[in-house]
DNA sequence: TCATTAAAGTTAT
DNA sequence: ATAACTTTAATGA
């Protein structure tokens, strides 16, 4: 968790409830709040000229939503959409920033999270330009698995649908499916009841 | 080789 | 039931 729930509450954060597919904010909104998930999953996405969805990340319990936008003066370049029913703490940007100035240790945590995100983006960027679907999907799976304690082969159940994986790597669903199958043949992943084990 | 289109099967709501 | 997701196959860049 980024910031302790009771701390956010004591600063006056409100709890907001969203239903699946509700927008928490949309592209071109002005960032005015710090958001932190208490329950449910949220995706950050945007659409290219042809209308194809690109999923930037999927966030869940304890994670902040688009907090990078609170430190710069720009409108959101992406949407935040609830994937499930969600509860989100919402704290005014000004209160949040003032609080951070007084609490370097929490500032440090925010830094760590932003860095983690940048790191992932760099890894994905390298592999996305590599043009090889298998490399892209593997970069994604490596990233997701990196947060697990157990690092055994096939111990990690990918918590994404194939469609989501495709959306995050920029390949089409069909290619994601075929690539994952060939990875199964190559013993890179195992598939059990359609679930991908890596 | 991969995206796209279409069609059909499967799962989740 | 109906929508959302998965899979296969054909075609074209």
């Amino acid at each position: 968790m980024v910031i302790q729930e009771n701390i956010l509450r004591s600063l006056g954060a409100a709890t907001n409830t969203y239903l699946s597919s509700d927008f928490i904010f949309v592209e071109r909104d002005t960032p005015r709040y710090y958001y932190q998930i208490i329950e449910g999953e949220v995706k950050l996405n945007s659409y290219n000229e042809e209308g194809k969805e690109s999923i930037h990340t999927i966030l869940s319990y304890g994670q902040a939503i688009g907090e990078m936008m609170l430190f710069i003066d720009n409108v959101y370049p992406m949407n935040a959409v609830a994937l499930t029913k969600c509860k989100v703490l919402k704290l005014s940007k000004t209160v949040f920033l003032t609080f951070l100035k007084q609490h370097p240790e929490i500032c440090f945590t925010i830094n760590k999270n932003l860095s983690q995100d940048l790191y992932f983006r760099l890894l994905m960027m390298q592999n996305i330009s590599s043009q090889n679907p298998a490399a892209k999907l593997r970069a994604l799976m490596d990233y997701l698995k990196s947060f697990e304690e157990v690092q055994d082969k096939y111990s990690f159940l990918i918590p994404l649908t194939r469609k989501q994986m495709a959306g995050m790597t920029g390949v089409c669903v069909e290619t994601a499916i075929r690539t994952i199958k060939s990875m199964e043949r190559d013993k890179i992943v195992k598939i059990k009841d359609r679930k991908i084990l890596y």
Side-chain angles (χ1 to χ4, degrees), chain A residues 20-58:
Chain A
S20 180
S21 81
D22 277 355
F23 290 96
I24 293 152
F25 56 72
V26 300
E27 219 169 317
R28 292 148 111 200
D29 274 358
T30 300
R32 293 200 172 89
Y33 301 93
Y34 168 79
Y35 297 95
Q36 187 171 306
I37 303 174
I38 300 175
E39 182 190 311
E41 288 189 330
V42 174
K43 72 175 169 185
L44 297 184
N45 74 358
S46 56
Y47 296 86
N48 66 15
E49 320 71 54
E50 292 102 42
K52 187 181 172 188
E53 181 188 32
S54 166
I55 298 177
H56 302 114
T57 186
I58 293 177

Side-chain angles (χ1 to χ4, degrees), chain A residues 70-167:
Chain A
L70 299 177
F71 300 95
I72 54 177
D73 199 19
N74 284 302
V75 296
Y76 285 116
M78 75 298 202
N79 311 292
V81 188
L83 286 174
T84 62
K85 184 191 170 207
C86 290
K87 279 186 188 164
V88 178
L89 280 170
K90 182 175 169 183
L91 178 67
S92 128
K93 169 183 170 176
T94 51
V95 173
F96 172 73
L97 292 178
T98 307
F99 176 75
L100 279 195
K101 283 179 192 160
Q102 298 156 351
H103 297 267
E105 67 302 342
I106 290 176
C107 221
F108 195 84
T109 306
I110 300 278
N111 259 292
K112 190 176 165 186
N113 279 280
L114 289 171
S115 298
Q116 177 67 65
D117 213 66
L118 270 170
Y119 173 68
F120 168 60
R121 239 138 272 269
L122 186 83
L123 291 186
M124 289 305 289
M125 203 60 82
Q126 286 172 341
N127 289 288
I128 262 153
S129 52
S130 96
Q131 197 70 184
N132 174 355
K136 294 187 205 181
L137 289 166
R138 233 182 143 159
L140 174 61
M141 296 193 297
D142 279 332
Y143 171 74
L144 295 171
K145 189 172 175 173
S146 72
F147 295 99
E148 299 298 307
E149 323 75 49
V150 186
Q151 288 293 316
D152 300 347
K153 222 178 179 195
Y154 310 134
S155 66
F156 179 55
L157 195 154
I158 307 290
L160 301 173
T161 65
R162 285 153 178 72
K163 196 185 179 197
Q164 289 172 329
M165 293 176 78

Side-chain angles (χ1 to χ4, degrees), chain A residues 173-185:
Chain A
V173 202
E174 294 86 343
T175 297
I177 289 165
R178 275 190 282 269
T179 306
I180 289 161
K181 287 219 159 146
S182 79
M183 288 171 110
E184 185 189 25
R185 283 182 226 114

